[in-house]
Amino acid sequence: MSQWIQLFRSGARTGWSNIAVELTPATVLGSRIPRTILQAVFFILISYAAGGSELAKFALIGNTMHAAVFHSVIEMSVVIELEKWLGTMPYLIASPANWFPAMMGRSLAGYVEGLVRILLVLLILVPFFGADLTALDLLHAAPIFFVTVASASALGWLSGAISLPTRWGMLICNTIGYVMMLTGGVNFPVTALPPVIQWIGHILPMTNGLLAIRAVIDGASYADTSGLILNEIIIGLVYGALAWRVFTHRLNVARQTGNIEQF
Amino acid sequence: MINRLRSVLRVIAGSFTMQAKERATNQFFVGTLLVLPIIFTLLSVGTYLYGGKGNFGLYAVIGAGMMGVWNANLWTSGRIVEGERRGGTLSMLIASPTPFPIILVGKSLSNAFASLISLVVTFATGLIAFRLELDIANPAAFIVSLLLTLISMTCFGLVLGSTFVLTRNAGDFMEAANYPIFILSGLMFPLTILPAWLRPLSSILAPTWGNLALGASAGLVADNPWLIDLYLIGLSLAYLMIAQTLFKKVEYLVRRDGSMEVF
Protein backbone atom coordinates (compact mmCIF):
# COMPACT_ATOMS: atom_id res chain seq x y z
CA MET A 1 0.00 0.00 0.00
CA SER A 2 2.81 2.39 0.89
CA GLN A 3 4.30 1.65 -2.52
CA TRP A 4 1.01 2.67 -4.15
CA ILE A 5 1.01 5.91 -2.21
CA GLN A 6 4.59 6.56 -3.24
CA LEU A 7 3.76 5.91 -6.89
CA PHE A 8 0.68 8.12 -6.68
CA ARG A 9 2.77 10.92 -5.17
CA SER A 10 5.46 10.56 -7.77
CA GLY A 11 2.85 10.60 -10.56
CA ALA A 12 1.20 13.66 -9.03
CA ARG A 13 4.55 15.43 -8.82
CA THR A 14 5.21 14.73 -12.50
CA GLY A 15 1.73 15.95 -13.39
CA TRP A 16 2.21 19.20 -11.47
CA SER A 17 5.63 19.72 -13.05
CA ASN A 18 4.12 19.30 -16.49
CA ILE A 19 1.36 21.73 -15.80
CA ALA A 20 3.74 24.20 -14.14
CA VAL A 21 5.75 24.37 -17.34
CA GLU A 22 2.63 24.96 -19.41
CA LEU A 23 1.00 27.45 -17.09
CA THR A 24 3.09 30.56 -17.52
CA PRO A 25 1.39 33.87 -16.68
CA ALA A 26 1.07 34.53 -20.41
CA THR A 27 -0.70 31.25 -21.18
CA VAL A 28 -2.94 31.45 -18.11
CA LEU A 29 -4.03 35.05 -18.68
CA GLY A 30 -3.84 35.02 -22.46
CA SER A 31 -5.20 31.60 -23.20
CA ARG A 32 -6.50 29.26 -20.49
CA ILE A 33 -8.78 31.66 -18.62
CA PRO A 34 -10.12 33.51 -21.67
CA ARG A 35 -10.72 30.25 -23.52
CA THR A 36 -12.71 28.75 -20.65
CA ILE A 37 -14.78 31.84 -20.00
CA LEU A 38 -15.40 32.82 -23.62
CA GLN A 39 -16.44 29.32 -24.70
CA ALA A 40 -19.05 29.40 -21.96
CA VAL A 41 -20.10 32.95 -22.90
CA PHE A 42 -20.52 31.94 -26.54
CA PHE A 43 -22.93 29.11 -25.80
CA ILE A 44 -24.77 31.11 -23.13
CA LEU A 45 -25.34 33.91 -25.66
CA ILE A 46 -26.77 31.44 -28.18
CA SER A 47 -29.16 30.24 -25.48
CA TYR A 48 -29.99 33.82 -24.57
CA ALA A 49 -30.80 34.61 -28.20
CA ALA A 50 -32.91 31.46 -28.44
CA GLY A 51 -34.80 31.51 -25.17
CA GLY A 52 -34.07 34.64 -23.16
CA SER A 53 -32.55 34.90 -19.70
CA GLU A 54 -34.13 31.70 -18.36
CA LEU A 55 -32.44 29.54 -21.04
CA ALA A 56 -29.24 31.57 -20.57
CA LYS A 57 -29.23 30.65 -16.87
CA PHE A 58 -29.80 27.03 -17.82
CA ALA A 59 -26.83 27.20 -20.21
CA LEU A 60 -24.69 28.92 -17.57
CA ILE A 61 -24.97 25.94 -15.21
CA GLY A 62 -24.54 23.47 -18.07
CA ASN A 63 -21.49 25.18 -19.49
CA THR A 64 -19.91 25.61 -16.07
CA MET A 65 -20.08 21.86 -15.62
CA HIS A 66 -19.03 21.18 -19.19
CA ALA A 67 -15.96 23.45 -18.93
CA ALA A 68 -14.59 21.18 -16.20
CA VAL A 69 -15.78 17.92 -17.73
CA PHE A 70 -14.40 18.73 -21.16
CA HIS A 71 -11.07 19.63 -19.64
CA SER A 72 -10.87 16.52 -17.49
CA VAL A 73 -11.80 14.22 -20.41
CA ILE A 74 -9.05 15.77 -22.49
CA GLU A 75 -6.49 15.89 -19.68
CA MET A 76 -6.94 12.21 -18.85
CA SER A 77 -6.47 11.37 -22.47
CA VAL A 78 -3.51 13.71 -22.73
CA VAL A 79 -1.78 11.98 -19.80
CA ILE A 80 -1.59 8.84 -21.92
CA GLU A 81 -0.94 10.72 -25.16
CA LEU A 82 1.92 12.67 -23.62
CA GLU A 83 3.76 9.56 -22.44
CA LYS A 84 3.33 8.19 -25.94
CA TRP A 85 4.52 11.29 -27.77
CA LEU A 86 7.43 11.91 -25.42
CA GLY A 87 8.62 8.35 -25.85
CA THR A 88 8.33 7.49 -22.15
CA MET A 89 5.52 4.96 -22.52
CA PRO A 90 7.90 1.99 -23.12
CA TYR A 91 9.67 2.77 -19.80
CA LEU A 92 6.36 2.84 -17.95
CA ILE A 93 5.39 -0.48 -19.48
CA ALA A 94 8.75 -2.09 -18.84
CA SER A 95 8.96 -0.85 -15.26
CA PRO A 96 7.91 -3.34 -12.56
CA ALA A 97 5.99 -0.59 -10.74
CA ASN A 98 2.21 -0.65 -10.93
CA TRP A 99 1.07 1.87 -13.53
CA PHE A 100 -2.35 2.49 -12.00
CA PRO A 101 -1.42 4.69 -9.01
CA ALA A 102 1.19 6.47 -11.09
CA MET A 103 -1.37 7.34 -13.78
CA MET A 104 -3.94 8.38 -11.18
CA GLY A 105 -1.35 10.72 -9.69
CA ARG A 106 -0.49 12.06 -13.14
CA SER A 107 -4.11 12.99 -13.76
CA LEU A 108 -4.61 14.76 -10.43
CA ALA A 109 -3.39 18.11 -11.78
CA GLY A 110 -5.94 17.96 -14.61
CA TYR A 111 -8.72 17.15 -12.18
CA VAL A 112 -7.84 20.09 -9.96
CA GLU A 113 -7.59 22.39 -12.99
CA GLY A 114 -11.07 21.22 -14.01
CA LEU A 115 -12.43 22.25 -10.61
CA VAL A 116 -10.66 25.60 -10.83
CA ARG A 117 -12.37 26.15 -14.17
CA ILE A 118 -15.78 25.63 -12.53
CA LEU A 119 -14.92 28.26 -9.96
CA LEU A 120 -13.69 30.69 -12.61
CA VAL A 121 -16.77 30.40 -14.81
CA LEU A 122 -19.09 30.80 -11.85
CA LEU A 123 -17.21 33.73 -10.34
CA ILE A 124 -17.05 35.67 -13.59
CA LEU A 125 -20.32 34.78 -15.28
CA VAL A 126 -22.90 34.44 -12.51
CA PRO A 127 -23.11 38.24 -12.03
CA PHE A 128 -23.96 38.60 -15.75
CA PHE A 129 -26.14 35.60 -16.50
CA GLY A 130 -26.91 34.00 -13.13
CA ALA A 131 -29.97 36.09 -12.27
CA ASP A 132 -31.21 34.53 -9.02
CA LEU A 133 -28.36 32.04 -8.49
CA THR A 134 -26.88 32.40 -5.03
CA ALA A 135 -23.45 31.35 -3.78
CA LEU A 136 -25.17 29.18 -1.17
CA ASP A 137 -27.10 27.20 -3.82
CA LEU A 138 -23.90 26.65 -5.77
CA LEU A 139 -21.94 25.61 -2.69
CA HIS A 140 -24.73 23.21 -1.83
CA ALA A 141 -24.21 21.53 -5.21
CA ALA A 142 -20.38 21.52 -4.97
CA PRO A 143 -20.00 17.83 -4.00
CA ILE A 144 -21.92 16.79 -7.12
CA PHE A 145 -19.58 18.92 -9.24
CA PHE A 146 -16.64 16.95 -7.74
CA VAL A 147 -18.29 13.58 -8.39
CA THR A 148 -19.25 14.50 -11.96
CA VAL A 149 -15.76 15.69 -12.92
CA ALA A 150 -14.28 12.49 -11.48
CA SER A 151 -16.80 10.38 -13.37
CA ALA A 152 -15.99 12.18 -16.63
CA SER A 153 -12.27 11.62 -16.02
CA ALA A 154 -12.92 7.90 -16.25
CA LEU A 155 -14.31 8.38 -19.75
CA GLY A 156 -11.24 10.42 -20.67
CA TRP A 157 -9.05 7.62 -19.46
CA LEU A 158 -11.04 5.12 -21.52
CA SER A 159 -10.66 7.36 -24.56
CA GLY A 160 -6.89 7.51 -23.99
CA ALA A 161 -6.71 3.74 -23.60
CA ILE A 162 -8.72 3.12 -26.78
CA SER A 163 -6.69 5.54 -28.85
CA LEU A 164 -3.33 4.39 -27.46
CA PRO A 165 -2.20 2.57 -30.62
CA THR A 166 -3.50 5.31 -32.94
CA ARG A 167 -2.50 8.86 -33.86
CA TRP A 168 -6.05 10.13 -33.40
CA GLY A 169 -6.18 10.46 -29.62
CA MET A 170 -6.77 14.22 -29.49
CA LEU A 171 -9.47 14.12 -32.14
CA ILE A 172 -11.25 11.26 -30.37
CA CYS A 173 -11.26 12.88 -26.92
CA ASN A 174 -12.26 16.29 -28.32
CA THR A 175 -15.13 14.68 -30.20
CA ILE A 176 -16.24 12.88 -27.04
CA GLY A 177 -16.16 16.20 -25.15
CA TYR A 178 -18.37 17.92 -27.73
CA VAL A 179 -20.73 14.95 -28.04
CA MET A 180 -21.23 15.15 -24.27
CA MET A 181 -22.17 18.79 -24.71
CA LEU A 182 -24.81 17.73 -27.20
CA THR A 183 -26.25 14.77 -25.33
CA GLY A 184 -25.75 15.92 -21.73
CA GLY A 185 -28.34 18.66 -21.48
CA VAL A 186 -25.79 21.45 -21.35
CA ASN A 187 -27.56 24.12 -23.41
CA PHE A 188 -31.12 22.79 -23.43
CA PRO A 189 -32.86 20.00 -21.52
CA VAL A 190 -32.08 16.38 -22.40
CA THR A 191 -35.81 15.78 -22.80
CA ALA A 192 -35.80 17.95 -25.94
CA LEU A 193 -33.56 15.42 -27.67
CA PRO A 194 -34.75 12.41 -29.67
CA PRO A 195 -35.17 9.28 -27.43
CA VAL A 196 -32.10 7.51 -28.85
CA ILE A 197 -29.86 10.52 -28.14
CA GLN A 198 -31.40 10.81 -24.65
CA TRP A 199 -30.45 7.21 -24.03
CA ILE A 200 -26.87 7.85 -25.22
CA GLY A 201 -26.75 10.89 -22.94
CA HIS A 202 -27.79 8.86 -19.93
CA ILE A 203 -25.07 6.27 -20.40
CA LEU A 204 -22.40 8.97 -20.66
CA PRO A 205 -20.94 10.74 -17.60
CA MET A 206 -22.17 14.25 -16.71
CA THR A 207 -25.82 13.92 -17.83
CA ASN A 208 -27.07 12.51 -14.52
CA GLY A 209 -24.70 14.65 -12.47
CA LEU A 210 -25.86 17.78 -14.26
CA LEU A 211 -29.51 16.90 -13.68
CA ALA A 212 -28.72 16.44 -9.97
CA ILE A 213 -26.85 19.76 -9.83
CA ARG A 214 -29.76 21.62 -11.44
CA ALA A 215 -32.22 19.96 -9.06
CA VAL A 216 -30.14 20.79 -5.97
CA ILE A 217 -29.70 24.40 -7.11
CA ASP A 218 -33.46 24.60 -7.58
CA GLY A 219 -33.95 23.52 -3.98
CA ALA A 220 -34.16 19.71 -4.08
CA SER A 221 -32.50 17.76 -1.27
CA TYR A 222 -29.68 15.27 -1.69
CA ALA A 223 -32.14 12.50 -0.82
CA ASP A 224 -34.35 13.53 -3.75
CA THR A 225 -31.42 13.42 -6.16
CA SER A 226 -29.66 10.38 -4.71
CA GLY A 227 -30.73 8.22 -7.66
CA LEU A 228 -29.12 10.59 -10.15
CA ILE A 229 -25.94 10.92 -8.10
CA LEU A 230 -25.72 7.17 -7.67
CA ASN A 231 -26.16 6.73 -11.45
CA GLU A 232 -23.33 9.21 -12.04
CA ILE A 233 -21.05 7.31 -9.64
CA ILE A 234 -21.92 3.93 -11.18
CA ILE A 235 -21.33 5.27 -14.70
CA GLY A 236 -17.95 6.64 -13.60
CA LEU A 237 -17.00 3.31 -12.04
CA VAL A 238 -18.09 1.35 -15.12
CA TYR A 239 -16.05 3.58 -17.42
CA GLY A 240 -13.14 3.39 -14.98
CA ALA A 241 -13.30 -0.42 -14.96
CA LEU A 242 -13.55 -0.51 -18.75
CA ALA A 243 -10.60 1.84 -19.04
CA TRP A 244 -8.59 -0.36 -16.68
CA ARG A 245 -9.38 -3.45 -18.78
CA VAL A 246 -8.67 -1.79 -22.12
CA PHE A 247 -5.46 -0.15 -20.90
CA THR A 248 -4.19 -3.40 -19.36
CA HIS A 249 -5.01 -5.21 -22.59
CA ARG A 250 -3.20 -2.55 -24.62
CA LEU A 251 -0.12 -2.82 -22.43
CA ASN A 252 -0.12 -6.62 -22.64
CA VAL A 253 -0.37 -6.50 -26.42
CA ALA A 254 2.39 -3.90 -26.51
CA ARG A 255 4.64 -6.14 -24.38
CA GLN A 256 3.92 -9.17 -26.54
CA THR A 257 4.35 -7.51 -29.91
CA GLY A 258 6.81 -4.76 -29.01
CA ASN A 259 4.83 -2.34 -31.14
CA ILE A 260 4.09 0.39 -28.60
CA GLU A 261 6.13 2.89 -30.58
CA GLN A 262 4.29 2.21 -33.80
CA PHE A 263 1.45 4.67 -34.14
CA MET B 1 8.32 42.02 -63.53
CA ILE B 2 6.60 39.07 -65.22
CA ASN B 3 9.36 36.74 -64.08
CA ARG B 4 9.02 38.03 -60.55
CA LEU B 5 5.24 37.46 -60.63
CA ARG B 6 5.74 34.02 -62.09
CA SER B 7 8.15 33.02 -59.35
CA VAL B 8 5.78 34.32 -56.66
CA LEU B 9 2.94 32.30 -58.18
CA ARG B 10 5.18 29.24 -58.32
CA VAL B 11 5.95 29.56 -54.61
CA ILE B 12 2.26 30.03 -53.81
CA ALA B 13 1.34 26.98 -55.91
CA GLY B 14 4.08 24.89 -54.30
CA SER B 15 3.12 25.79 -50.73
CA PHE B 16 -0.58 25.35 -51.64
CA THR B 17 0.10 21.77 -52.77
CA MET B 18 2.41 21.02 -49.87
CA GLN B 19 -0.22 22.16 -47.39
CA ALA B 20 -2.89 20.06 -49.10
CA LYS B 21 -0.71 16.97 -48.68
CA GLU B 22 0.01 17.71 -45.03
CA ARG B 23 -3.66 18.35 -44.36
CA ALA B 24 -4.73 14.97 -45.66
CA THR B 25 -3.22 13.27 -42.61
CA ASN B 26 -3.87 15.98 -40.06
CA GLN B 27 -6.36 15.08 -37.34
CA PHE B 28 -6.98 18.74 -36.49
CA PHE B 29 -8.31 19.32 -39.95
CA VAL B 30 -10.55 16.29 -39.85
CA GLY B 31 -11.87 17.69 -36.58
CA THR B 32 -12.37 21.27 -37.73
CA LEU B 33 -13.72 20.45 -41.18
CA LEU B 34 -15.90 17.44 -40.47
CA VAL B 35 -16.59 16.81 -36.79
CA LEU B 36 -16.98 20.28 -35.26
CA PRO B 37 -19.28 21.70 -37.97
CA ILE B 38 -21.71 18.81 -37.40
CA ILE B 39 -21.67 19.25 -33.64
CA PHE B 40 -21.96 23.06 -33.75
CA THR B 41 -24.86 22.85 -36.19
CA LEU B 42 -26.68 20.32 -34.02
CA LEU B 43 -26.04 22.38 -30.88
CA SER B 44 -27.01 25.78 -32.28
CA VAL B 45 -30.01 24.74 -34.38
CA GLY B 46 -31.14 22.47 -31.52
CA THR B 47 -30.99 25.40 -29.08
CA TYR B 48 -32.96 27.67 -31.42
CA LEU B 49 -35.59 25.01 -32.05
CA TYR B 50 -35.93 24.43 -28.32
CA GLY B 51 -36.27 28.17 -27.75
CA GLY B 52 -39.07 28.29 -30.35
CA LYS B 53 -37.02 30.20 -32.90
CA GLY B 54 -36.85 27.69 -35.73
CA ASN B 55 -36.62 30.57 -38.23
CA PHE B 56 -33.03 31.10 -36.99
CA GLY B 57 -32.15 27.67 -38.39
CA LEU B 58 -30.53 28.80 -41.65
CA TYR B 59 -28.77 31.61 -39.79
CA ALA B 60 -27.26 29.07 -37.38
CA VAL B 61 -26.31 26.73 -40.23
CA ILE B 62 -24.43 29.49 -42.07
CA GLY B 63 -22.84 30.60 -38.78
CA ALA B 64 -21.66 27.06 -37.99
CA GLY B 65 -20.16 26.83 -41.48
CA MET B 66 -18.41 30.15 -40.99
CA MET B 67 -17.03 28.87 -37.71
CA GLY B 68 -15.57 25.91 -39.58
CA VAL B 69 -14.06 28.23 -42.17
CA TRP B 70 -12.60 30.48 -39.48
CA ASN B 71 -11.34 27.53 -37.45
CA ALA B 72 -9.53 26.20 -40.49
CA ASN B 73 -8.02 29.62 -41.13
CA LEU B 74 -6.94 30.28 -37.58
CA TRP B 75 -5.57 26.79 -37.17
CA THR B 76 -3.82 27.43 -40.45
CA SER B 77 -1.98 30.50 -39.30
CA GLY B 78 -1.08 29.07 -35.94
CA ARG B 79 -0.44 25.46 -36.87
CA ILE B 80 1.56 26.22 -39.99
CA VAL B 81 3.97 28.40 -38.07
CA GLU B 82 4.04 25.96 -35.16
CA GLY B 83 4.50 22.99 -37.50
CA GLU B 84 7.41 24.62 -39.28
CA ARG B 85 8.94 25.57 -35.95
CA ARG B 86 8.64 22.04 -34.56
CA GLY B 87 9.91 20.57 -37.81
CA GLY B 88 12.95 22.87 -37.56
CA THR B 89 12.17 24.47 -40.93
CA LEU B 90 10.89 27.86 -39.77
CA SER B 91 14.33 29.44 -39.52
CA MET B 92 15.17 28.22 -43.01
CA LEU B 93 11.95 29.64 -44.39
CA ILE B 94 12.58 32.98 -42.69
CA ALA B 95 16.19 33.02 -43.91
CA SER B 96 15.31 32.08 -47.49
CA PRO B 97 15.17 34.89 -50.09
CA THR B 98 11.49 34.13 -50.72
CA PRO B 99 9.42 36.25 -48.33
CA PHE B 100 7.79 34.08 -45.68
CA PRO B 101 4.36 35.75 -46.09
CA ILE B 102 4.19 34.47 -49.67
CA ILE B 103 4.68 30.90 -48.48
CA LEU B 104 2.08 31.50 -45.79
CA VAL B 105 -0.38 32.90 -48.38
CA GLY B 106 -0.13 29.68 -50.42
CA LYS B 107 -0.62 27.49 -47.38
CA SER B 108 -3.42 29.63 -46.02
CA LEU B 109 -5.29 29.71 -49.32
CA SER B 110 -5.01 25.95 -49.53
CA ASN B 111 -6.65 25.59 -46.15
CA ALA B 112 -9.19 28.28 -46.90
CA PHE B 113 -10.47 26.46 -49.96
CA ALA B 114 -10.53 23.17 -48.09
CA SER B 115 -12.52 24.87 -45.34
CA LEU B 116 -15.43 25.16 -47.76
CA ILE B 117 -16.05 21.52 -46.89
CA SER B 118 -17.23 22.65 -43.45
CA LEU B 119 -19.94 24.78 -45.03
CA VAL B 120 -21.12 21.81 -47.08
CA VAL B 121 -21.13 19.70 -43.92
CA THR B 122 -23.22 22.20 -41.95
CA PHE B 123 -25.77 22.54 -44.74
CA ALA B 124 -25.99 18.74 -45.03
CA THR B 125 -26.42 18.45 -41.24
CA GLY B 126 -29.21 21.03 -41.20
CA LEU B 127 -30.91 19.29 -44.07
CA ILE B 128 -30.61 15.74 -42.73
CA ALA B 129 -30.95 16.21 -38.98
CA PHE B 130 -33.53 19.02 -38.85
CA ARG B 131 -35.06 18.93 -42.35
CA LEU B 132 -34.49 22.68 -42.55
CA GLU B 133 -35.47 24.62 -45.63
CA LEU B 134 -32.15 25.94 -46.82
CA ASP B 135 -33.26 28.26 -49.62
CA ILE B 136 -30.68 30.78 -50.77
CA ALA B 137 -32.42 33.86 -52.15
CA ASN B 138 -29.54 35.06 -54.33
CA PRO B 139 -27.18 32.15 -55.20
CA ALA B 140 -24.82 34.25 -57.36
CA ALA B 141 -24.32 36.80 -54.59
CA PHE B 142 -23.91 33.94 -52.10
CA ILE B 143 -21.06 32.36 -54.10
CA VAL B 144 -19.27 35.68 -54.66
CA SER B 145 -19.68 36.62 -50.99
CA LEU B 146 -18.36 33.24 -49.94
CA LEU B 147 -15.23 33.60 -52.07
CA LEU B 148 -14.59 37.13 -50.82
CA THR B 149 -15.18 35.98 -47.25
CA LEU B 150 -12.61 33.22 -47.69
CA ILE B 151 -10.04 35.64 -49.05
CA SER B 152 -10.75 38.19 -46.36
CA MET B 153 -10.50 35.61 -43.58
CA THR B 154 -7.23 34.34 -45.03
CA CYS B 155 -5.86 37.89 -44.96
CA PHE B 156 -7.01 38.28 -41.37
CA GLY B 157 -5.35 34.93 -40.57
CA LEU B 158 -2.12 36.36 -41.98
CA VAL B 159 -2.27 39.26 -39.51
CA LEU B 160 -2.51 36.78 -36.63
CA GLY B 161 -0.02 34.40 -38.24
CA SER B 162 2.66 37.06 -38.22
CA THR B 163 2.51 37.36 -34.45
CA PHE B 164 2.51 33.57 -34.00
CA VAL B 165 6.12 33.55 -35.26
CA LEU B 166 7.09 35.21 -31.99
CA THR B 167 5.77 32.54 -29.62
CA ARG B 168 5.99 28.82 -29.10
CA ASN B 169 2.54 28.96 -27.49
CA ALA B 170 0.82 29.82 -30.77
CA GLY B 171 -1.44 26.78 -30.32
CA ASP B 172 -2.70 28.02 -26.96
CA PHE B 173 -3.33 31.56 -28.17
CA MET B 174 -5.02 30.25 -31.28
CA GLU B 175 -7.51 28.31 -29.18
CA ALA B 176 -8.20 31.36 -27.07
CA ALA B 177 -8.62 33.57 -30.14
CA ASN B 178 -11.42 31.43 -31.54
CA TYR B 179 -14.28 32.29 -29.23
CA PRO B 180 -13.80 36.07 -29.08
CA ILE B 181 -14.05 36.09 -32.88
CA PHE B 182 -17.16 33.87 -32.85
CA ILE B 183 -18.78 36.15 -30.28
CA LEU B 184 -17.78 39.50 -31.76
CA SER B 185 -18.75 38.39 -35.28
CA GLY B 186 -22.22 37.29 -34.20
CA LEU B 187 -21.82 34.04 -36.09
CA MET B 188 -24.52 32.26 -34.10
CA PHE B 189 -26.65 35.06 -32.67
CA PRO B 190 -27.68 38.58 -33.67
CA LEU B 191 -25.03 41.17 -32.90
CA THR B 192 -27.70 43.33 -31.29
CA ILE B 193 -27.54 41.25 -28.11
CA LEU B 194 -23.94 42.36 -27.55
CA PRO B 195 -23.27 45.62 -25.69
CA ALA B 196 -23.06 48.65 -27.99
CA TRP B 197 -19.46 49.40 -26.99
CA LEU B 198 -18.34 46.12 -28.61
CA ARG B 199 -19.75 46.99 -32.05
CA PRO B 200 -16.65 48.88 -33.29
CA LEU B 201 -14.61 45.74 -32.62
CA SER B 202 -17.13 43.62 -34.53
CA SER B 203 -16.95 45.95 -37.49
CA ILE B 204 -13.24 45.40 -38.09
CA LEU B 205 -13.56 41.60 -38.24
CA ALA B 206 -13.84 39.78 -41.57
CA PRO B 207 -16.16 37.05 -40.19
CA THR B 208 -18.72 39.70 -39.15
CA TRP B 209 -19.02 41.03 -42.69
CA GLY B 210 -18.69 37.60 -44.26
CA ASN B 211 -21.55 36.35 -42.16
CA LEU B 212 -23.59 39.44 -42.95
CA ALA B 213 -22.90 39.12 -46.69
CA LEU B 214 -23.90 35.45 -46.69
CA GLY B 215 -26.98 36.21 -44.59
CA ALA B 216 -28.01 38.99 -46.97
CA SER B 217 -27.46 36.73 -50.02
CA ALA B 218 -29.54 34.02 -48.36
CA GLY B 219 -32.34 36.51 -47.74
CA LEU B 220 -32.02 36.42 -43.96
CA VAL B 221 -30.87 40.00 -43.57
CA ALA B 222 -32.39 42.98 -45.37
CA ASP B 223 -29.16 44.32 -46.83
CA ASN B 224 -27.43 44.60 -50.19
CA PRO B 225 -24.88 41.74 -50.34
CA TRP B 226 -22.88 43.45 -53.12
CA LEU B 227 -22.24 46.50 -50.95
CA ILE B 228 -21.05 44.29 -48.10
CA ASP B 229 -18.80 42.50 -50.60
CA LEU B 230 -17.16 45.83 -51.39
CA TYR B 231 -16.51 46.35 -47.71
CA LEU B 232 -14.96 42.86 -47.57
CA ILE B 233 -12.57 43.76 -50.39
CA GLY B 234 -11.51 46.93 -48.58
CA LEU B 235 -11.06 45.02 -45.35
CA SER B 236 -8.91 42.38 -47.08
CA LEU B 237 -6.61 45.07 -48.47
CA ALA B 238 -6.30 46.67 -45.04
CA TYR B 239 -5.46 43.30 -43.47
CA LEU B 240 -2.83 42.65 -46.14
CA MET B 241 -1.14 45.95 -45.43
CA ILE B 242 -1.18 45.34 -41.68
CA ALA B 243 0.13 41.77 -42.14
CA GLN B 244 2.95 42.99 -44.37
CA THR B 245 4.04 45.62 -41.86
CA LEU B 246 3.82 43.17 -38.96
CA PHE B 247 5.78 40.50 -40.82
CA LYS B 248 8.55 42.96 -41.58
CA LYS B 249 8.78 43.95 -37.92
CA VAL B 250 8.59 40.38 -36.60
CA GLU B 251 11.11 39.15 -39.14
CA TYR B 252 13.49 41.95 -38.18
CA LEU B 253 13.08 41.10 -34.49
CA VAL B 254 13.76 37.37 -34.86
CA ARG B 255 16.71 37.98 -37.21
CA ARG B 256 18.20 40.60 -34.89
CA ASP B 257 17.82 38.50 -31.72
CA GLY B 258 18.50 35.14 -33.37
CA SER B 259 15.62 33.88 -31.23
CA MET B 260 13.98 31.64 -33.79
CA GLU B 261 15.19 28.42 -32.23
CA VAL B 262 14.96 29.60 -28.64
CA PHE B 263 11.78 28.26 -27.11
Side-chain angles (χ1 to χ4, degrees):
Chain A
M1 189 64 190
S2 66
Q3 206 176 28
W4 271 52
I5 294 171
Q6 200 183 353
L7 285 167
F8 179 82
R9 271 190 194 159
S10 141
R13 229 182 2 247
T14 316
W16 286 115
S17 307
N18 256 343
I19 217 166
V21 172
E22 278 176 28
L23 298 185
T24 61
T27 54
V28 171
L29 297 172
S31 168
R32 299 273 177 132
I33 295 177
R35 159 85 207 233
T36 308
I37 302 297
L38 291 169
Q39 178 171 334
V41 168
F42 176 68
F43 286 106
I44 293 168
L45 285 175
I46 295 177
S47 297
Y48 180 75
S53 50
E54 212 33 55
L55 195 57
K57 193 181 106 181
F58 185 91
L60 167 66
I61 298 169
N63 281 284
T64 301
M65 187 70 256
H66 187 261
V69 161
F70 193 48
H71 176 75
S72 72
V73 167
I74 289 179
E75 273 305 306
M76 277 304 281
S77 221
V78 162
V79 163
I80 297 174
E81 283 282 304
L82 257 185
E83 302 288 354
K84 197 168 80 178
W85 288 107
L86 297 177
T88 43
M89 188 58 95
Y91 301 111
L92 276 180
I93 296 171
S95 138
N98 193 324
W99 53 268
F100 183 69
M103 291 305 245
M104 290 302 286
R106 287 279 275 107
S107 57
L108 189 66
Y111 178 75
V112 172
E113 199 189 332
L115 296 178
V116 171
R117 281 173 189 239
I118 291 180
L119 202 64
L120 265 175
V121 175
L122 288 177
L123 276 176
I124 298 175
L125 298 186
V126 165
F128 295 101
F129 302 103
D132 52 351
L133 277 178
T134 66
L136 202 65
D137 292 336
L138 294 167
L139 271 177
H140 194 42
I144 320 177
F145 278 109
F146 295 159
V147 168
T148 309
V149 177
S151 165
S153 304
L155 179 59
W157 186 20
L158 177 64
S159 154
I162 289 172
S163 62
L164 184 61
T166 72
R167 291 192 299 164
W168 299 85
M170 288 313 292
L171 178 62
I172 293 172
C173 67
N174 266 289
T175 304
I176 290 173
Y178 280 114
V179 167
M180 286 169 78
M181 190 179 219
L182 192 63
T183 60
V186 172
N187 294 305
F188 49 85
V190 187
T191 46
L193 293 164
V196 181
I197 314 269
Q198 282 188 45
W199 181 81
I200 294 172
H202 280 289
I203 60 163
L204 286 173
M206 188 179 81
T207 311
N208 292 288
L210 194 47
L211 284 172
I213 288 168
R214 292 190 197 284
V216 167
I217 287 175
D218 285 342
S221 69
Y222 268 74
D224 296 336
T225 55
S226 58
L228 289 168
I229 299 170
L230 195 66
N231 277 349
E232 188 66 41
I233 293 171
I234 291 171
I235 286 170
L237 289 174
V238 169
Y239 279 104
L242 266 175
W244 165 284
R245 284 295 307 153
V246 175
F247 197 59
T248 308
H249 172 71
R250 292 275 192 236
L251 297 190
N252 287 339
V253 170
R255 281 196 187 103
Q256 284 160 12
T257 57
N259 69 352
I260 190 69
E261 304 208 77
Q262 290 170 10
F263 55 87
Chain B
M1 180 68 185
I2 291 175
N3 278 345
R4 166 95 181 121
L5 188 67
R6 203 178 280 166
S7 65
V8 166
L9 287 176
R10 199 181 60 241
V11 172
I12 290 177
S15 49
F16 187 99
T17 316
M18 183 71 194
Q19 185 61 23
K21 286 178 182 169
E22 282 177 15
R23 192 175 49 238
T25 56
N26 189 327
Q27 58 173 315
F28 287 109
F29 262 96
V30 176
T32 52
L33 293 185
L34 300 175
V35 180
L36 283 184
I38 295 176
I39 290 171
F40 280 128
T41 308
L42 294 174
L43 272 171
S44 55
V45 179
T47 309
Y48 280 118
L49 286 177
Y50 176 77
K53 292 188 175 162
N55 54 332
F56 272 57
L58 179 55
Y59 181 81
V61 165
I62 292 175
M66 290 288 287
M67 281 170 67
V69 172
W70 173 248
N71 262 328
N73 270 282
L74 191 66
W75 283 104
T76 298
S77 347
R79 289 277 165 203
I80 288 173
V81 172
E82 201 174 71
E84 301 290 356
R85 189 195 294 276
R86 287 193 175 175
T89 44
L90 187 58
S91 338
M92 287 179 250
L93 288 178
I94 297 275
S96 96
T98 307
F100 184 56
I102 293 179
I103 298 165
L104 211 52
V105 164
K107 290 187 166 231
S108 299
L109 275 178
S110 177
N111 284 349
F113 279 100
S115 69
L116 284 175
I117 295 169
S118 68
L119 211 60
V120 174
V121 170
T122 55
F123 270 78
T125 309
L127 213 58
I128 296 165
F130 299 105
R131 311 231 174 256
L132 289 175
E133 284 182 20
L134 304 173
D135 294 329
I136 303 294
N138 189 342
F142 191 85
I143 291 169
V144 173
S145 299
L146 187 58
L147 286 175
L148 288 173
T149 302
L150 277 183
I151 293 168
S152 191
M153 280 192 178
T154 304
C155 296
F156 188 34
L158 286 176
V159 175
L160 295 175
S162 60
T163 54
F164 289 159
V165 176
L166 288 172
T167 172
R168 68 173 166 146
N169 293 315
D172 279 338
F173 293 117
M174 212 162 51
E175 279 184 29
N178 257 349
Y179 284 97
I181 303 286
F182 296 162
I183 293 169
L184 289 171
S185 307
L187 293 185
M188 288 283 191
F189 44 79
L191 277 173
T192 45
I193 69 170
L194 293 178
W197 56 269
L198 282 175
R199 309 262 169 84
L201 278 176
S202 301
S203 65
I204 55 166
L205 297 175
T208 308
W209 296 95
N211 198 36
L212 200 61
L214 293 177
S217 318
L220 298 171
V221 185
D223 232 323
N224 185 346
W226 304 107
L227 280 179
I228 306 170
D229 286 348
L230 281 179
Y231 192 90
L232 273 172
I233 294 171
L235 207 55
S236 305
L237 291 172
Y239 287 146
L240 273 182
M241 284 194 288
I242 295 169
Q244 197 185 14
T245 313
L246 274 176
F247 263 115
K248 274 188 185 157
K249 279 199 186 298
V250 169
E251 196 178 330
Y252 171 75
L253 279 177
V254 293
R255 277 177 194 266
R256 187 194 65 188
D257 300 338
S259 57
M260 201 79 271
E261 308 277 348
V262 187
F263 63 90

